[in-house]
Structures are given as C-alpha cells and as structure tokens.
Amino acid sequence: MARSVPETHDEILAAAARRFAVTGYKGTSLQDIAGEVGCSKATVLYHFANKEALLTELMAPAIAVLEALDARIAGHAGADAQRVAAEGFVDLAVRFRREIALLRGEFPDLLQQPAFAHIQQISERLIGAFAGHSDRPSARIAALVVLAGIAETCAEFIDIPDEELRPALLAVVRRALEPTT
C-alpha cells in the first residue's frame, strides 16, 4: 500500500530534524534524508524544493514566535523592554530547544540564507532590548552573552523539565543583566 502524502511529508520533516541534529545542516544531504525515510531523493524533492525549504519549514514555528516577540518588544522601553525580552526569549528557547539544538554551530551560516536573513535584524533588536536599549558597551556585552547562553543552555539541557529550566534561566538573566532605569 502506498504511503499518503501528508504522512510522507511529516516523515521527511522528522527525518530531516534527526539528521540535522546528528550531522548538522551542512553535513546532511537530501539523499541522507531520503535514505532515512526509505524513499527516493525525488520523493523528498516532490515535497520540498530543496534542503533550505526543509529547514525553513522545520524552523517556521520558532521563527513565528520570535517575530511575535520582536513585535511585542517594540512597544516597550528600558526595564520593561528588558523584562519582556528576557521572559519572551526564555519561553521561546525552552519551547523550541530541540530546534535550537539543530542549529548549534551553524547559526551564522544559516543567517546567510534568504529565508533566514531577517533573523539577524531581530537578533540585534533583541540584544538592544536585553540591554534595556542602553548604548553602554557593558550592557550590550552582557545582553549578547545572556542571549547566547540561554540558547546554548536550552540546546544542551534538552531533558530538564520546562518548569525547572525556565525559572533557572530567568534567575540567571536577572543576575547577569544590568538594571535599567
């Protein structure tokens, strides 16, 4: 009996996520993904135009939440921006920690792809919000370290329950960031 299209589509996505997690985005070929699913490369290409399209669909939910956070931050300044950014990014990182783990070490290269180019601007605005929109180098450095640390921690500690990880991360954020006025 032939597989249904939605089932194959989802199987290809799941196989891509597994392969990207093991060998990285650059280290995974469409043939690798097809082999894991048990289909041909042509079948993968029937469902996805290319490997970037696969990654784009895998990351779409996380990117949508990041874009919504970016919009929420825009309405805040100073300490409010810092709080909204910290709580929102911690929630995003905890929720999408498996997706973050997929991108470990490859994030700068992925930002060069058209589907992800806008993430760099969102990241800059997020750093600004974490810094409380301060121009002080120390505030911006702390913001970048905290932002990167949250992502790395979530990717590393996949098995820690959300209700334990979230408050621990927020406590670190509060200690690490300079208070804003």
Side-chain angles (χ1 to χ4, degrees):
M1 181 177 188
R3 297 182 197 203
S4 69
V5 172
E7 184 176 287
T8 302
H9 182 91
D10 293 344
E11 288 174 12
I12 292 168
L13 277 174
R18 286 189 301 273
R19 296 298 303 183
F20 294 162
V22 172
T23 58
Y25 175 76
K26 287 193 293 188
T28 301
S29 70
L30 290 176
Q31 188 61 53
D32 295 334
I33 295 165
E36 185 157 329
V37 173
C39 67
S40 69
K41 182 178 171 182
T43 300
V44 173
L45 289 169
Y46 171 79
H47 291 277
F48 299 94
N50 51 36
K51 190 167 70 166
E52 183 181 332
L54 263 165
L55 183 64
T56 300
E57 188 165 332
L58 279 171
M59 300 308 294
I63 289 172
V65 171
L66 180 63
E67 290 168 342
L69 175 59
D70 187 40
R72 269 197 332 270
I73 291 168
H76 298 276
D80 279 343
Q82 195 175 55
R83 180 189 51 75
V84 170
E87 290 175 3
F89 189 73
V90 165
D91 288 345
L92 180 149
V94 168
R95 178 176 170 193
F96 294 105
R97 59 181 125 166
R98 283 178 174 72
E99 289 81 352
I100 291 169
L102 294 177
L103 300 178
R104 268 181 143 167
E106 298 190 58
F107 193 67
D109 291 337
L110 294 174
L111 290 177
Q112 303 305 313
Q113 296 184 20
F116 300 102
H118 71 294
I119 302 301
Q120 183 64 45
Q121 290 89 22
I122 293 174
S123 295
E124 287 297 322
R125 289 190 293 272
L126 198 53
I127 291 166
F130 265 74
H133 298 295
S134 170
D135 290 332
R136 290 186 321 276
S138 60
R140 295 193 56 80
I141 290 167
L144 179 56
V145 168
V146 168
L147 190 63
I150 290 168
E152 185 62 24
T153 300
C154 285
E156 180 67 27
F157 295 106
I158 297 274
D159 296 331
I160 293 178
D162 294 359
E163 57 276 1
E164 189 176 337
L165 184 58
R166 184 181 188 278
L169 288 169
L170 287 172
V172 169
V173 169
R174 284 193 273 302
R175 287 191 309 266
L177 294 180
E178 295 181 13
T180 60
T181 55

